[in-house]
Amino acid sequence: MIYNDNLKMINSEYLKNLNKAQKEAVLYLNGPLLIVAGAGSGKTKVLTSRIAHIIKEKKAFPNQILSVTFTNKAAKEMQNRVSSILNLEATGLSWLGTFHSICAKLLRKHAPAANLTSNFTIIDTDDQVRLIKNICKAENIDVKQLAPKYILSIIDRWKNKGFYPEEVIINKKDIYEKTVLPLYRIYQKKLLDLNVCDFGDLILHTVKILEKNLDIRKIYSNNFKYILVDEYQDTNFIQSKWLNLLSEKYKNICCVGDDDQSIYSWRGAEIKNFLEFDQVYKNSKIIRLEENYRSSQNILSVASSLISNNQNRVGKTLKTTMEEGDLVKLNCFKNGKDEAIGISDEIEKNLKKKYSFNNIAILVRAIFQTREFEERFLKIGMPYRILGGTKFYERAEIKDCVAYLRLVHQEKDDLAFDRIVNNPKRSIGESTIKLIHEYSKKNSVSLEISSKKLIEQNLIKPKTKVGLSSFLFMVEKWRNDLNIKKIGHVKLLQLILDESGYSAMLKNKKDIDNENRLENLKELLNALKEFDSLEGFLEHVALATSVDQDWEGEKVNMMTMHGSKGLEFDAVFLPGWEEGLFPHQKSIEEKGQNGLEEERRLAYVGITRAKKKALISFSMNRFYQGDWIDSMASRFIEELPEKYLEKNSFFDDNKDNKDNEEDFEFNQDFEIENETRSPGWIRYQKRIK
């Protein structure tokens, strides 16, 4: 056995480049171990070195080590790193992979215990949606009101909690669970009948087999002498349960992660797995990796000070091997447009001389925020890419709205007609659309004219005729609103969204992505306001969408803060730090103090993506749903330590202005759980009403 007091006796190559804490984590091989690995602290190096050390010291054979990651990419990187240390010895790591891949392997060996055969198929999301649609049709469930993906999200939540259909206890506060539970029963029976599994089943079935079959559990518990888990803060209940069962005999489980980067509760992750590790695994050891190899000290100081306001955390103090570096910039802008201009100017004038565009990132809280930056970048010809998302004008709901506007503007726009004639659904089926196209081609008229002629000649079925006639009437009405009544193009889109039923379709349909779609529509209204005419806007959109999403070459990166986890950049911009947007109003209202703390962890993740420069900004005004509103600076800004900040001139210009002073300072003593808000929050609410 290797003990901490004889570290000096070890002189292996793979230990040479480890700091004291990293080395301790690698050499501690007796009992449960939680490694609290701060951002950029070299956790992958520790994990791979630990695997190498276990094998090198003959503590276990490679096939007696279970090493679990969340992504195939992380598993591959780990495999390669261990191989580089131990050469051919790493080839025996047959239990290194993702939660899903390892569970699939276990399940195939013991499929009959889950009423499956070993050649079961794993279905993807498209297959799941198709199956749920068929079930809903048979059970007379309207998928327009309750989207299949939303149904599947509830089922997945139950599976993450370890519940088969008969084990589910309905949450009475959730009005949809009562409807979904019978669908879950049918869905699960169908999966078994078809001999297929969804991704949730892979872990759920495996856990149930291990719980109910002591002989099977003993096989694996006896085999896995060491268990290593990456990104432990992102585990859910069922994953934690699985690990607990497999570590039953030896208890040599080592979990690595950072509670301050736990930002996926909406995906089922439970931070309490991390926080309660020492309660679940008795006599466990906690080692903190606090030496950061990514960011400058000033950036770390700001991030550490901010996250220290969270109560539910293990706690650590990050320090860096890097230089002190530049102060973190805090910029206040008059409005969102000025913010986009200010950031693009900073990149153009200062940053592009020092850093590649590929090493510059703009991290937003919500995806709709990219619009103003995209507009600015297109205008000045600055190359950019959207990571983990679609460019604003290429998002489906935006293209739908633009198609409506195009058809109102130009009746011969057949492409626009084709896209929206049955969107939302108006009982206009494919056979009718085919008929319209055939008539159009034969008589050399537009699809709109073709539709009118077919109705006049009574060639459209009665039910379809009602929907098609209504659509044509609305289009004519909107043209009249625009051309005769001379209403503005912003008002026109508001009427279209309302009268077409498009807004109602999104609002009424329970879909996990609908909130983002509705936010995007609001942002589209903001975009329209920036143009003098509908024609000018449509021309702009045409030019904007003609710019291909070319991933090659030098480009500024735009993405959400959630999407940035695990990445790093030389310079990072963090715009939109305003109450209601960040921390997000919905997160706080739904989850109270826990929601606020997760939002703060998200801020921490955002700041710690920066290696050399971090630039935080907010606006005093935002154009929102066609109106200007006064914004409040995020409460997180109040928590940033002054001595590590460099503020722009806007602060100096307004320091004697009491009205503005009120915008920046507000009391943080609030109790969200009791439905009370800070004075700042109350002022903010009054302003937006």
Side-chain angles (χ1 to χ4, degrees):
M1 188 64 65
I2 299 169
Y3 297 96
N4 290 344
D5 58 359
N6 65 351
L7 297 182
K8 294 176 183 177
M9 294 171 61
I10 306 296
N11 194 29
S12 302
E13 285 298 316
Y14 59 90
L15 296 175
K16 278 186 176 179
N17 297 320
L18 302 176
N19 63 40
K20 187 179 176 184
Q22 289 174 333
K23 192 177 287 187
E24 186 183 7
V26 168
L27 299 180
Y28 186 84
L29 302 179
N30 189 24
L33 172 63
L34 180 68
I35 302 174
V36 185
S41 62
K43 66 179 176 68
T44 306
K45 182 195 281 188
V46 169
L47 277 175
T48 51
S49 299
R50 186 175 166 88
I51 294 170
H53 188 67
I54 291 167
I55 297 169
K56 196 91 170 175
E57 292 297 306
K58 296 183 170 55
K59 296 293 178 181
F61 291 107
N63 68 351
Q64 294 176 314
I65 300 171
L66 172 64
S67 186
V68 195
T69 66
F70 272 87
T71 65
N72 289 315
K73 183 184 175 186
K76 189 70 178 170
E77 185 185 357
M78 201 172 290
Q79 182 85 47
N80 291 338
R81 288 207 195 184
V82 176
S83 295
S84 67
I85 298 172
L86 295 176
N87 300 317
L88 294 176
E89 290 181 68
T91 57
L93 287 168
S94 52
W95 296 102
L96 191 159
T98 64
F99 280 97
H100 290 116
S101 68
I102 293 170
C103 282
K105 188 175 176 177
L106 284 169
L107 191 55
R108 289 203 187 278
K109 289 180 183 259
H110 308 284
N115 296 316
L116 295 163
T117 60
S118 60
N119 64 339
F120 65 80
T121 304
I122 302 168
I123 59 171
D124 60 16
T125 304
D126 288 344
D127 290 328
Q128 287 180 269
V129 169
R130 200 175 298 115
L131 182 55
I132 284 289
K133 277 183 176 176
N134 292 337
I135 293 168
C136 287
K137 190 176 180 181
E139 296 298 309
N140 293 316
I141 302 291
D142 187 357
V143 294
K144 295 177 190 175
Q145 301 301 316
L146 196 59
K149 281 190 176 179
Y150 185 74
I151 294 169
L152 286 166
S153 73
I154 295 176
I155 291 172
D156 193 53
R157 185 168 77 221
W158 284 330
K159 289 186 177 185
N160 288 341
K161 295 284 187 185
F163 298 145
Y164 278 144
E166 61 274 15
E167 298 169 317
V168 170
I169 300 169
I170 290 177
N171 178 4
K172 292 178 180 178
K173 293 181 181 178
D174 192 320
I175 59 172
Y176 298 102
E177 285 195 1
K178 193 175 179 180
T179 305
V180 174
L181 183 55
L183 302 178
Y184 181 22
R185 290 194 190 100
I186 300 166
Y187 172 76
Q188 208 60 18
K189 186 176 183 306
K190 288 275 189 186
L191 292 180
L192 290 173
D193 291 345
L194 294 166
N195 196 41
V196 299
C197 291
D198 63 20
F199 278 96
D201 284 334
L202 294 175
I203 302 180
L204 180 61
H205 287 328
T206 306
V207 166
K208 295 297 184 184
I209 289 170
L210 293 172
E211 281 184 324
K212 294 174 183 176
N213 300 273
L214 184 61
D215 55 336
I216 297 174
R217 186 161 87 236
K218 276 186 175 179
I219 292 170
Y220 294 100
S221 179
N222 289 342
N223 181 71
F224 295 135
K225 289 187 174 180
Y226 288 92
I227 297 175
L228 297 92
V229 189
D230 193 15
E231 302 287 4
Y232 187 61
Q233 79 280 348
D234 294 334
T235 55
N236 57 35
F237 172 83
I238 198 73
Q239 289 164 338
S240 177
K241 181 73 176 174
W242 179 70
L243 291 165
N244 194 250
L245 290 166
L246 292 177
S247 61
E248 192 173 61
K249 181 172 180 181
Y250 293 105
K251 307 289 187 188
N252 287 327
I253 182 168
C254 169
C255 295
V256 184
D258 184 1
D259 52 317
D260 291 334
Q261 295 188 66
S262 178
I263 56 174
Y264 296 132
S265 67
W266 51 277
R267 260 181 2 199
E270 296 197 13
I271 193 173
K272 73 174 185 179
N273 291 344
F274 198 98
L275 299 176
E276 297 175 4
F277 181 89
D278 58 346
Q279 296 173 38
V280 175
Y281 299 97
K282 303 299 180 188
N283 302 314
S284 59
K285 186 175 180 65
I286 298 176
I287 296 174
R288 291 171 171 80
L289 305 184
E290 298 178 311
E291 204 163 325
N292 175 284
Y293 294 91
R294 177 189 299 154
S295 307
S296 66
Q297 187 56 59
N298 283 330
I299 291 171
L300 283 187
S301 296
V302 168
S304 296
S305 179
L306 178 66
I307 200 64
S308 68
N309 290 279
N310 274 6
Q311 294 174 6
N312 295 310
R313 60 192 294 259
V314 176
K316 59 184 176 303
T317 305
L318 288 183
K319 52 186 180 294
T320 185
T321 56
M322 318 288 282
E323 59 192 19
E324 204 171 76
D326 296 338
L327 293 171
V328 172
K329 276 197 172 183
L330 177 60
N331 293 331
C332 172
F333 294 99
K334 197 177 289 183
N335 52 54
K337 192 173 181 178
D338 280 2
E339 186 176 44
I341 293 170
I343 286 174
S344 67
D345 284 355
E346 179 73 22
I347 296 170
E348 193 72 57
K349 293 174 184 176
N350 299 320
L351 298 189
K352 79 172 188 179
K353 300 170 188 173
K354 300 178 184 176
Y355 314 118
S356 138
F357 279 157
N358 289 340
N359 258 312
I360 299 172
I362 299 172
L363 310 183
V364 296
R365 175 60 181 86
I367 196 65
F368 77 85
Q369 291 174 261
T370 66
R371 200 273 307 175
E372 280 185 308
F373 296 102
E374 291 188 60
E375 299 276 20
R376 175 64 182 169
F377 283 25
L378 286 166
K379 188 175 181 178
I380 65 174
M382 187 174 288
Y384 72 93
R385 64 171 68 88
I386 306 289
L387 287 175
T390 309
K391 288 187 172 182
F392 185 79
Y393 288 115
E394 292 171 7
R395 295 166 195 168
E397 61 277 11
I398 302 300
K399 292 178 91 167
D400 290 343
C401 291
V402 170
Y404 271 104
L405 293 170
R406 278 170 47 187
L407 188 62
V408 170
H409 181 253
Q410 167 61 271
E411 70 174 25
K412 293 180 181 179
D413 195 330
D414 285 354
L415 290 173
F417 182 95
D418 222 16
R419 185 177 182 98
I420 59 168
V421 66
N422 198 39
N423 186 13
K425 301 288 185 191
R426 301 185 177 93
S427 302
I428 305 168
E430 287 183 16
S431 60
T432 304
I433 290 171
K434 186 181 177 183
L435 183 65
I436 295 169
H437 274 270
E438 287 172 350
Y439 188 98
S440 167
K441 189 177 179 180
K442 185 179 177 180
N443 296 281
S444 300
V445 294
S446 70
L447 295 181
E448 186 175 338
I449 298 292
S450 173
S451 302
K452 289 175 180 176
K453 293 292 184 184
L454 288 166
I455 289 171
E456 287 171 10
Q457 296 171 31
N458 210 26
L459 296 172
I460 303 291
K461 293 176 182 176
K463 187 179 178 183
T464 304
K465 184 179 177 180
V466 172
L468 186 57
S469 299
S470 171
F471 172 70
L472 294 169
F473 174 80
M474 283 189 293
V475 172
E476 285 292 346
K477 186 260 182 191
W478 295 327
R479 284 188 190 131
N480 186 68
D481 288 337
L482 180 68
N483 301 320
I484 308 299
K485 292 185 178 179
K486 301 294 182 183
I487 69 166
H489 45 286
V490 178
K491 180 67 177 173
L492 174 67
L493 180 57
Q494 288 173 327
L495 286 174
I496 290 171
L497 288 170
D498 184 33
E499 294 171 359
S500 69
Y502 196 91
S503 285
M505 174 186 75
L506 290 186
K507 287 174 183 173
N508 296 334
K509 190 175 181 181
K510 197 63 185 174
D511 192 324
I512 50 179
D513 296 321
N514 266 9
E515 188 184 342
N516 284 337
R517 293 190 187 110
L518 288 166
E519 288 287 0
N520 285 333
L521 293 189
K522 293 167 186 173
E523 190 58 27
L524 181 63
L525 289 167
N526 297 348
L528 272 167
K529 191 92 174 186
E530 295 176 12
F531 295 86
D532 295 329
S533 67
L534 177 59
E535 191 173 21
F537 170 74
L538 292 174
E539 186 177 308
H540 170 77
V541 173
L543 293 170
T545 52
S546 68
V547 180
D548 293 332
Q549 179 84 309
D550 179 11
W551 291 92
E552 300 302 316
E554 295 281 312
K555 289 178 173 64
V556 176
N557 303 283
M558 294 188 204
M559 71 197 80
T560 62
M561 280 185 270
H562 281 104
S564 74
K565 191 166 174 290
L567 303 176
E568 58 182 47
F569 305 92
D570 285 333
V572 170
F573 291 90
L574 298 151
W577 280 40
E578 297 139 30
E579 283 294 306
L581 180 55
F582 191 50
H584 203 281
Q585 185 176 344
K586 187 183 176 190
S587 183
I588 295 176
E589 287 182 349
E590 289 184 356
K591 292 182 277 187
Q593 186 69 29
N594 290 334
L596 177 63
E597 293 208 353
E598 182 157 340
E599 291 285 294
R600 192 177 282 111
R601 291 196 292 273
L602 192 55
Y604 174 84
V605 167
I607 296 169
T608 54
R609 297 313 91 197
K611 293 160 70 175
K612 297 173 182 176
K613 288 192 78 71
L615 304 94
I616 299 167
S617 58
F618 65 99
S619 300
M620 297 188 67
N621 299 278
R622 283 275 173 201
F623 195 71
Y624 190 70
Q625 298 187 55
D627 291 305
W628 285 101
I629 62 166
D630 292 340
S631 302
M632 292 288 302
S634 168
R635 68 192 73 189
F636 295 156
I637 286 173
E638 292 281 305
E639 297 170 2
L640 303 177
E642 291 268 347
K643 64 179 179 179
Y644 303 116
L645 299 179
E646 177 190 342
K647 297 181 180 179
N648 69 346
S649 59
F650 207 101
F651 287 87
D652 296 328
D653 295 343
N654 291 279
K655 67 183 177 183
D656 297 323
N657 187 321
K658 290 184 180 178
D659 291 335
N660 286 317
E661 190 177 40
E662 191 183 52
D663 285 334
F664 297 112
E665 295 178 10
F666 53 93
N667 180 14
Q668 294 179 62
D669 295 331
F670 62 97
E671 295 180 30
I672 292 180
E673 306 288 349
N674 295 333
E675 303 296 318
T676 61
R677 306 289 183 194
S678 70
W681 180 268
I682 293 165
R683 286 203 304 276
Y684 173 76
Q685 291 300 307
K686 284 179 180 175
R687 288 173 179 176
I688 63 173
K689 284 178 182 176

